[in-house]
Structures are given as C-alpha cells and as structure tokens.
Amino acid sequence: MLEKWEVEPSSGLSDNEASNRLEQEGYNEIADKEKVPTWKLFLETFKDAMVVVLLIAAIVQLVLGEIIESLIIFIVILLNSVISVVQTKKAESSLEALRDMSAPEAKVIRNGTNQTIMARELVPGDIVLLEAGDYIPADGRLIEAESLKINEGMLTGESNAVDKMTEPITEEVSIGDQTNMVFSSSLVVNGRGTFVVTATGEKAKIGKIAEMIETAEAKETPLQRKLDDFSKKLGIVILLLCVLIFAVQVGRLFFSDADVDMTQAVLDALMFSVAIAVAAIPEALQSIVTIVLSVGTNKMAKQHAIIRRLPAVETLGSTSVICTDKTGTLTKNQMTVTEAYLPGVKDAFDGEKWTKAEQLLVQTAALCNDSYINEDNNEIGDPTEIALIRLANEQNEPYKALRENHSREAELPFDSDRKMMSTVHTINGERLMLIKGGPDVMLDRASYLLSGDEEQSLTDEWKTKLEEQNENYSRQALRVLAFGYKKLEEGQSISLDDEQDFTLIGFTAMMDPPRDAVYGSIKEAKKAGIKPVMITGDHKTTAEAIGRDIGLMGEDDFAVTGKELDNMSEQELTEKLEHISVYARVSPENKIRIVKAWQQKNQITAMTGDGVNDAPALKQADIGIGMGSGTDVAKDAAAMILTDDNFVSIVKAVSVGRTVFDNIKKSIAYLFAGNLGAIIAILFAVIMNWANPFTALQLLFINLVNDSLPAIALGMEKSEPNVMKRKPRKIDEGIFAGGTMRSVIIRGLLIGVAVIISHYIGLQHSEEMGVAMAFTTLILSRTLQTFPARSNVQTAFGAGFFENKYVLGAVLVGFVLYAITIMPFARDVFHIPGSFGWSEIAIATGLALASVVLMEVVKMFRNK
C-alpha cells in the first residue's frame, strides 16, 4: 500500500509532492450541487393545465371589465404558486449536512514532522495520525493500530464500535468488515492509529454517497401524480368545453332571425364560457389539500412522526413495503444480558441465596469494566460493557457501590488481538485478578472451573459442555462473554503472562432485544397488506434470528447478505424479492437497489435510516423515514422523522396516512360534486337557451369561500373502521377509485337537477330572479352536501353525526356566509334582486334539502 502511494510512514509526503497531488486530485471536499433558481421553480408552476385555463379566464374577465373577478383569480394562482415553490425549496439540504460532517483539520506527517493542516488539503498518500475523539478526515489503510476502535455507525448503521487492525484482508468484504480500513467522517472512540490516505473528496466512501444522494430520484407522491394527471386531463376538457359552448352560442346568433345586439351577444357567450371554466375548476383545491395534509402532520406528530414534506403524509398511507433498519427501530438499541450460564447453578440469579459463582460473576461484570453512567444519567462506554453494569444494577448490586468498595488496583486493558481484559481488586480480603473475554480464548487459557461454590479442574468433559453452550448461544445470535478470576499474592504485579491458569466462572449471553410492541406492529402491518423488510449492517445470523423472533420472516422467507445480493442478477432479484425479508451487511448501493427493485414492482416503498449510508436510499424511496437520533444528513434526505426511532410509530403513522388520504378523497369528492352540479346547470341553460344561471363572482365566492371550510372540515374525519384491515391501494389507482367517482356523479347530478328546477322557477319571474334562485340553491345544496360527503358507506345521520364538530361548524358558517350575500349592502355585488324574499329562499332551501336526502337514500340502497 505504501509503495503504491510512494510514501514513507516516518517522513510522509513533502510539501511539493502534496501540492502536485492536490492539483491532480482536487480538494478533499464535496462539491456544491447546482440548484434550480427560485424564479425558474415559480415559472414552472404555470405549466399546469388548470392554471392555464384559469389564466385565460382571468384575462377574458379583465378584457370584459370584470376587474374584481379577474383580480381574485390572479391572487389564487399566485398563492398556489408560492405554496408549491416553498414546498420544493424545503426539500434539498442533504448535501449541505453531509459537507458539515467533514473534519475541519487533520494531523499529518509531512516533511518528516508532525503538522496540523486543513482537512480539505489532504491528498492520497498523506500519513494521518489518529487518537480518541478524532473525526477521520479521509478514507485510508491502517499502518498502525493500538487498541483502536472506530464508530462507523454513520456508514454502517450499527452503533457498536469496530475494532481495527493492520492485517491484510484477502477476500472482498462489506464496509463493516473492512477492519484494516478507515473511512471519512467516522469517529475514533478508543486507542490511536496511523493510516495512509487512499481516497479523498468525492472518491471517498462519503463522496460516493453524496453522488448517490444527488442522483437519487426524488419521487412524486401517488396523490401528486394523480392530481397532476387529473389536472392535465380536466384542463384540456374544460378548455374544449369552453370553446364548444362559445361556438354553440355564437353559431346560434348567425342562425337566429331575432334582432339582437351582436356585440353584447358575443360578450354573453364569452361570459358563459368563463362561467364554465370558473365553475369546473376547484380554485381552492391545492390550498385545501395542503391544509388537510397539515392536519395529518399534527396527528402524526402525536405518534412521534414529524413530517418534513407535506405530501409524505398521504404517501405513507399508501405504503405497501416498509424497509426498516434493525438496530434501534425494531430493537431497543440497548445491549442487554438475557441469559447467564454458570456451571453447577441450575437457574442463575433465581434463588434467594446466591452461590459464590453468581456473586463473582456480577462483581467481575461491574469491576472488570470501563463503562459508566454520568451525572446526566447518560450511559458512556462500549454497549457490551454498559449491558454488564446494567446487569449488576438489576441484580441489586449497584455497580457504583461495587467500584467504591473494591477499587481498581491494576489493569491489563482490553486488546483486540488477545480479546481479553483484566483488573485487580481486593474482595472479601482476597486479592483477585478478574478477567473477561471471548469464550474461545478464555476456554483455552483457563485451568479450573467454579462449580457453584467449589473450584475444580476444567476437565475435557466440562470444556466440551461449555463449548456446546457457547455454540448454542451463537446459533441464537447472542453475544457471549466469558468470566474468570485468579488469586494473587499481596503486592504481586500483573502482566499478560498472568492471564493463564485461571478459574472460569461462566458465561453471559446478551443481545439487543426487540421492542416489546414490535411483535404486534409487525402483525398489524401484515394484516394491512404491508410487507416489512429488514435492512441492516449487522451480521446475517443476528438479523435473521431477530427477524424470525418478531414474526417479520415467514416460512418461505430467507435472508441474504450484501455480498450475496451483489452476485444476483436483476432477473434473479426480481424472482426472489418477495421472499427476501432480511438483508444483512449491506452497502449504500445495496439499499438503493433494494428500494428500486420494489418500485419496479409498482410497490410504494418506505425506507428507514439514521446514517449517512442511508441517505441515498431515503431519497430514492417513495417515503424516506429518518430517525430522530440519526445524522443530520439522513434527516435532511428523509420526508419524515421518527422522534422515538420506533417501528411501532411507523405503523401508527401509516394508519394516520391512510385516514388522511381517505379524507382528502372526501374533500376532493365534495368539491367536484358541487362543481359538477354547477356545470350541469350551466350546460342545461346553454342547451335550453336560457340565461346564464351564475355570475363568475358567485362561482368564485362558492369555490373559494363557501366550499373551503366544509372541505377542510371533512379532512378532520376520524378513521374508517376498516382502515388497517384493507390492502394498500395500487400505485395506478386513481383519485376517484373505490366508489368515489360514482358518489361525485350521483351527488353532482342531484345538485344540478335541484339548481335547474330552481333556475326555471326564478326565470318565470325574471332573469335576475333566475340567477338569484340558482345561486341560492347551489350554495345551500353544496353546503348541506357536507353531511353525505363524510362517508361513502355510512349514512350521515347515524350515531356519529356529532363526532366531527368541525363539520357542524363549517355548515353553520356556510349558512352565515350565504346570509351575508343577500344582505342589502351585498345584493348588487352578488346580483340578487330586491324582490328576492323569504318565499324564494324557502323554495331554494327545500330543493337543496331534497337533493341531500336523495343522496343518502341512494347511498343506503347502493350499500345494501
């Protein structure tokens, strides 16, 4: 390795050579990503077909002198554009967070002397010095490692520090197993070392992750895709309808014998066309969807899920695959001693009186241990050692009291080569060397065995039993430690040679246990048609054991490693995908490939993660879920953050997401049913050659003001009873699927018929009265339609009538708003004649009520 980079470890690079390499390789940093300018994002919002139609309508209104109407439309368009740009600008900050993780300085050997330089000036071939507390500034190959432990969790997702060494690795292994390499932005937690830089900047692992983040496809949510698609189609249909109506009206003029003012007649035809455009387009739709999604974010926050991008609420509700991390999400992220094996003791720690072996095991666990709990109750140290002091505390032998009563007199620190640690203490008047280490090493060095209260020789028979017990624990993916002790003479010093011929006490077996509520959540997810998949940096055996235990893996499911995944062809992965429930020792590239494989099967895929290595997959997924305890890079790449890092919260959030989508559909159906009623009334007037039943201002008032509150109130509806019992909706399922379109058509027809009858009655008096009657019936029937819109299944006037107080309030406000339009000061604005009185209001109200009652009658017959 040193020959490749033409460097001597004692002297390092010369300044001249470093300068030449810096010119060739570039700075050790992640380049800035070019961003889309805000003005361009703003202009792109005007590509929407419905926005184009509204712009045309506003311009026509302006030409016709209808200043107020055109101004309102322009304001609506601008507000919707601003909302869209703000949401887009929120999304991209992952690369900035990744750059912030870089170490600012590095300690190097250059020109034969130790120097501190800016980390961005590092080049391949530099010799870098490391000690505890340092962030690693570049990728490199270790040439010295003394008790070196490095936390690579931001790359591997695993919290345990990795023991590093200098020995060559001959086979291809994952990042987590590259024990002779160090990687940029990971943290030295113990020991010291020296490495030669092999990769900097964008060639380092973290640079490649940055590139994947930049190239990962940010997905539109299903709702966004469907609304965009529907918007285009609706915009085209409305435009054609407007042109058709205008052509029909103008055509009638040329074939009519009546003496009419042609200019006024053409203007009237234009007004009909504008009325159709205004009536058909739900101007407040985007704002209402945003508000309903915001309501969902508040509900999710109570389930420990913080939404960073509003559309993620709805996406989560349609999720069919959840790719989840193991450590801390499915498990407690807290190594815990689950079993203890002591020769001669039947059930360790279950009896009232402890044996000598039980007492010594707890004492050794607490004393031969460097971890501790600080004043803020934070656990500091290796997770394995923390589990041991927690064991002492749980057995009513507080580790602090043990350490105060039996101070450490000498020690042999843990070493990754010998896999042991020893400390000296005086216990009950005896000076003892307490030893802990790997079972294989300890069994080879021990000569005696403590069986209950008695010491005896470690026979081959006992050794075989202990080896079998160790293998049994290993098959269960448990981490095993062995404990022993050796009596010392007063004043005797210790060396590595003393770690021989000691007495073996027994084993502890530990694991990071699953969260208690995970078992139920996995069942609930499967019942809801969601496939949970575990993707972890941990070992295959451990991951598979957890997967089987919690019910994540079915009988036909199996686990694969990242290396095994790399060896699979795309076709092989596609064939096996649905049966692979656990992926272990994975790389960032593996994670993206898994997510893409599910997406190619048209599955809405959620991905959880907390490390830098997870960020590209979080961005690629339909919904990325970052962990609250994770890196800023992961959080910024995610659409949702779990504050409690808990899989249970994901399943609860899915339930909220499904409810939110149901409610968005109810709001959309409410808006379009009302708009359809208005369109039917206008088209009927065109066919019958009646006067236009509405003014553009009346329609804008209903669409923007009157309909907004009921539509938002529908977004507050509680979950349908079967929300987590039905399968996730298909990716190609339209907004109006599942009976929604049928409800829109039925309710729209009934509203339209009521308005037509009302318009006809009013026309018998005058055109002005016809407009007033049509407007009144439309606004009242649309307001009362809120009740049937609450559910496509349940009737509005059942037991849950008073459950959603927001609906009751919205309907009441709708009546008040209508009352304002018929006040003397507002009548001219809304074209309500002075002769319009209580009898006309009663007729319009009766027609509106009749339409709503018929909606519920049709619903009852339809659901029988």
Side-chain angles (χ1 to χ4, degrees), residues 153-164:
M154 39 73 74
L155 285 172
T156 65
E158 297 306 308
S159 57
N160 293 331
V162 180
D163 292 314
K164 292 293 182 176

Side-chain angles (χ1 to χ4, degrees), residues 36-156:
V36 180
T38 304
W39 63 266
K40 193 172 182 181
L41 291 173
F42 183 74
L43 289 179
E44 283 178 356
T45 62
F46 291 90
K47 290 180 181 177
D48 185 276
M50 286 203 293
V51 171
V52 171
V53 174
L54 276 178
L55 279 171
I56 294 169
I59 291 166
V60 170
Q61 293 280 61
L62 196 62
V63 170
L64 296 177
E66 304 289 346
I67 305 297
I68 295 175
E69 286 89 336
S70 61
L71 188 62
I72 290 170
I73 296 172
F74 281 129
I75 289 170
V76 169
I77 293 170
L78 285 173
L79 278 175
N80 286 340
S81 296
V82 169
I83 289 169
S84 177
V85 171
V86 168
Q87 286 185 7
T88 304
K89 293 296 284 183
K90 277 182 181 179
E92 299 301 331
S93 53
S94 309
L95 292 180
E96 286 84 345
L98 199 57
R99 279 193 290 272
D100 291 343
M101 291 188 70
S102 303
E105 295 179 334
K107 297 185 282 277
V108 299
I109 299 174
R110 281 191 182 173
N111 302 314
T113 61
N114 292 5
Q115 301 179 24
T116 299
I117 65 170
M118 297 299 293
R120 71 191 294 266
E121 295 173 3
L122 278 175
V123 294
D126 260 322
I127 304 297
V128 180
L129 306 173
L130 295 174
E131 60 185 35
D134 287 346
Y135 276 99
I136 293 169
D139 289 4
R141 170 72 160 83
L142 284 164
I143 51 180
E144 286 182 25
E146 293 186 24
S147 301
L148 186 64
K149 285 188 173 186
I150 296 178
N151 186 334
E152 296 175 343
M154 39 73 74
L155 285 172
T156 65

Side-chain angles (χ1 to χ4, degrees), residues 11-315:
S11 58
L13 296 174
S14 65
D15 285 339
N16 187 47
E17 179 61 25
S19 179
N20 290 337
R21 294 188 185 189
L22 185 63
E23 193 172 330
Q24 291 171 2
E25 298 289 333
Y27 284 109
N28 178 33
E29 61 187 7
I30 297 166
D32 282 325
K33 179 186 176 183
E34 189 177 342
K35 294 180 181 178
V36 180
T38 304
W39 63 266
K40 193 172 182 181
L41 291 173
F42 183 74
L43 289 179
E44 283 178 356
T45 62
F46 291 90
K47 290 180 181 177
D48 185 276
M50 286 203 293
V51 171
V52 171
V53 174
L54 276 178
L55 279 171
I56 294 169
I59 291 166
V60 170
Q61 293 280 61
L62 196 62
V63 170
L64 296 177
E66 304 289 346
I67 305 297
I68 295 175
E69 286 89 336
S70 61
L71 188 62
I72 290 170
I73 296 172
F74 281 129
I75 289 170
V76 169
I77 293 170
L78 285 173
L79 278 175
N80 286 340
S81 296
V82 169
I83 289 169
S84 177
V85 171
V86 168
Q87 286 185 7
T88 304
K89 293 296 284 183
K90 277 182 181 179
E92 299 301 331
S93 53
S94 309
L95 292 180
E96 286 84 345
L98 199 57
R99 279 193 290 272
D100 291 343
M101 291 188 70
S102 303
E105 295 179 334
K107 297 185 282 277
V108 299
I109 299 174
R110 281 191 182 173
N111 302 314
T113 61
N114 292 5
Q115 301 179 24
T116 299
I117 65 170
M118 297 299 293
R120 71 191 294 266
E121 295 173 3
L122 278 175
V123 294
D126 260 322
I127 304 297
V128 180
L129 306 173
L130 295 174
E131 60 185 35
D134 287 346
Y135 276 99
I136 293 169
D139 289 4
R141 170 72 160 83
L142 284 164
I143 51 180
E144 286 182 25
E146 293 186 24
S147 301
L148 186 64
K149 285 188 173 186
I150 296 178
N151 186 334
E152 296 175 343
M154 39 73 74
L155 285 172
T156 65
E158 297 306 308
S159 57
N160 293 331
V162 180
D163 292 314
K164 292 293 182 176
M165 60 182 188
T166 58
E167 284 77 7
I169 297 173
T170 54
E171 59 181 339
E172 189 178 334
V173 293
S174 64
I175 290 178
D177 294 319
Q178 292 178 26
T179 51
N180 60 1
M181 296 290 293
V182 293
F183 302 102
S184 178
S185 299
S186 48
L187 175 68
V188 180
V189 296
N190 189 67
R192 61 188 184 85
T194 306
F195 73 92
V196 57
V197 174
T198 58
T200 59
E202 295 182 357
K203 292 179 181 177
K205 290 288 182 189
I206 202 162
K208 290 175 182 175
I209 288 171
E211 185 181 353
M212 283 190 283
I213 291 173
E214 194 168 341
T215 56
E217 302 169 20
K219 296 286 180 183
E220 278 191 321
T221 72
L223 180 64
Q224 284 175 317
R225 288 196 290 270
K226 294 303 173 189
L227 281 177
D228 288 347
D229 182 56
F230 182 76
S231 171
K232 288 173 188 172
K233 291 175 181 175
L234 182 64
I236 292 167
V237 169
I238 292 169
L239 203 56
L240 291 173
L241 197 57
C242 290
V243 171
L244 180 64
I245 287 174
F246 181 72
V248 168
Q249 292 288 79
V250 172
R252 274 181 177 161
L253 294 175
F254 287 103
F255 292 103
S256 172
D257 296 330
D259 185 19
V260 295
D261 183 341
M262 289 295 291
T263 304
Q264 186 59 46
V266 170
L267 289 177
D268 288 344
L270 264 177
M271 291 302 288
F272 254 112
S273 300
V274 170
I276 277 286
V278 174
I281 295 174
E283 288 83 2
L285 176 61
Q286 186 172 335
S287 303
I288 288 165
V289 169
T290 300
I291 291 167
V292 174
L293 288 172
S294 298
V295 171
T297 66
N298 293 332
K299 289 180 180 177
M300 284 189 178
K302 294 174 184 175
Q303 305 292 349
H304 308 286
I306 306 299
I307 297 296
R308 293 186 67 249
R309 296 169 204 150
L310 280 181
V313 180
E314 174 268 329
T315 310

Side-chain angles (χ1 to χ4, degrees), residues 351-367:
E352 292 182 13
K353 186 179 180 182
W354 282 3
T355 61
K356 182 180 179 181
E358 290 169 302
Q359 191 68 53
L360 268 172
L361 179 71
V362 171
Q363 289 169 339
T364 306
L367 298 173

Side-chain angles (χ1 to χ4, degrees), residues 332-407:
K332 296 177 180 178
N333 196 18
Q334 180 177 290
M335 289 301 292
T336 305
V337 175
T338 56
E339 291 189 45
Y341 178 75
L342 299 171
V345 179
K346 188 177 181 182
D347 295 305
F349 307 115
D350 280 354
E352 292 182 13
K353 186 179 180 182
W354 282 3
T355 61
K356 182 180 179 181
E358 290 169 302
Q359 191 68 53
L360 268 172
L361 179 71
V362 171
Q363 289 169 339
T364 306
L367 298 173
C368 187
N369 189 321
D370 289 328
S371 66
Y372 63 96
I373 300 172
N374 67 13
E375 294 174 356
D376 298 325
N377 211 32
N378 293 321
E379 297 172 332
I380 311 298
D382 185 90
T384 302
E385 291 197 328
I386 290 169
L388 295 175
I389 63 172
R390 206 181 293 119
L391 169 68
N393 290 345
E394 288 169 356
Q395 297 302 328
N396 295 317
E397 288 282 352
Y399 89 96
K400 286 185 180 178
L402 286 172
R403 291 181 184 180
E404 286 169 5
N405 296 332
H406 310 292
S407 59

